[in-house]
Amino acid sequence: MNQSVVKALKILDLFNETTSELSLKDISVKTGLPKPTAYRMLQSLESMGYIMRTEQYEQRYQLGLKLLELGHLVSHQLDLRQIAKPLMQKLAKEINEAVHLVVVHGYQATYIEKVDSQRALRLYTKVGKSSPLYIGSGPKLLLAYMTKEDQRKILSQYIQEEGTLENLLNELTNIHKLGYSTSESEQDVDTTGISYPIYNHRGEVIAALTVSGLSTHFEGEDLVFIKSETQCVAEEISRCLGYSPQEKEVYEV
């Protein structure tokens, strides 16, 4: 266990509803850390935005705005899952394929919710799984709704060949124009994925609603039906989050 991280978390744990600010001496006594050590830890936390000095007293500290940002992010994802889950269950029952909810986390895509199909042979995807943003229909959809600058920045970490990079950028442009993304055998052999965007109340794409299964299930009339149902549910989730079409974000081309 990293002791520096443990010490930093001990300091953050001191703050609560009844103790909104503390002095260096208070923090040293309560954590059992020597003052110089506590001060160094506070400096690091302050530089990262997790701790800030109070306006009235320079040697007193309170929680920083970075924690507010992270708290908002966690709350937002919880709200998203709570709203999406029953609609995902409804979709999975209609199409009998696995349904996933995918969001951007750093430079990767993370699967934050899943509803399995009732088929005997199922795809295995663990909630919490992360994937590069250029592999799979959900990750690619999320990347397609970023700016060109961010797309190139993220892809350049994985793709060194300029021709391959340009091909991927063109594919992302096409995904954005179509309004959905597909993938064939990108994460698992002989599987197909289809994803549609989920918007928040500001018209920003915050998640991908993804359905996936064996490629033989995604053909002909079945494919048309799956796409139609998935799009409808993605739009319904978006509306539940306060989205209206006129709020749609402007995409940088």
Side-chain angles (χ1 to χ4, degrees), residues 18-178:
T18 58
T19 308
S20 60
E21 62 179 61
L22 291 164
S23 68
L24 173 59
K25 181 180 178 181
D26 293 333
I27 293 169
S28 176
V29 170
K30 290 177 181 290
T31 59
L33 296 173
K35 271 190 178 182
T37 301
Y39 182 68
R40 286 197 301 272
M41 299 301 299
L42 286 165
Q43 282 187 310
S44 297
L45 289 168
E46 186 179 4
S47 69
M48 297 296 292
Y50 293 100
I51 288 286
M52 60 190 294
R53 302 187 194 208
T54 63
E55 293 182 6
Q56 294 86 354
Y57 305 100
E58 189 175 339
Q59 292 303 314
R60 294 184 69 84
Y61 299 86
Q62 60 187 21
L63 294 178
L65 297 179
K66 183 67 175 179
L67 290 169
L68 178 64
E69 177 186 334
L70 294 176
H72 175 74
L73 177 61
V74 172
S75 174
H76 165 72
Q77 291 191 358
L78 287 174
D79 289 344
L80 172 61
R81 291 177 65 185
Q82 289 169 356
I83 289 170
K85 185 66 177 284
L87 295 169
M88 292 171 64
Q89 291 170 329
K90 174 185 173 184
L91 177 61
K93 186 176 180 180
E94 288 286 336
I95 65 175
N96 201 18
E97 301 294 347
V99 182
H100 305 89
L101 191 63
V102 192
V103 300
V104 174
H105 183 70
Y107 283 177
Q108 292 191 309
T110 299
Y111 292 73
I112 64 170
E113 191 56 87
K114 177 189 178 184
V115 179
D116 279 313
S117 72
Q118 296 303 308
R119 298 184 185 276
L121 182 60
R122 305 177 186 177
L123 297 180
Y124 176 74
T125 305
K126 183 179 178 182
V127 171
K129 169 191 172 183
S130 291
S131 171
L133 281 163
Y134 67 97
I135 298 177
S137 66
K140 285 194 298 186
L141 179 88
L142 294 170
L143 188 56
Y145 280 85
M146 295 183 186
T147 65
K148 288 288 188 182
E149 180 182 355
D150 286 341
Q151 288 174 5
R152 187 174 288 275
K153 181 179 179 181
I154 290 170
L155 288 174
S156 63
Q157 296 185 59
Y158 303 99
I159 312 298
Q160 303 303 320
E161 188 177 324
E162 186 63 26
T164 303
L165 177 60
E166 291 303 321
N167 287 338
L168 278 169
L169 289 170
N170 290 335
E171 181 182 0
L172 294 176
T173 299
N174 191 49
I175 288 171
H176 191 275
K177 288 178 179 178
L178 290 173

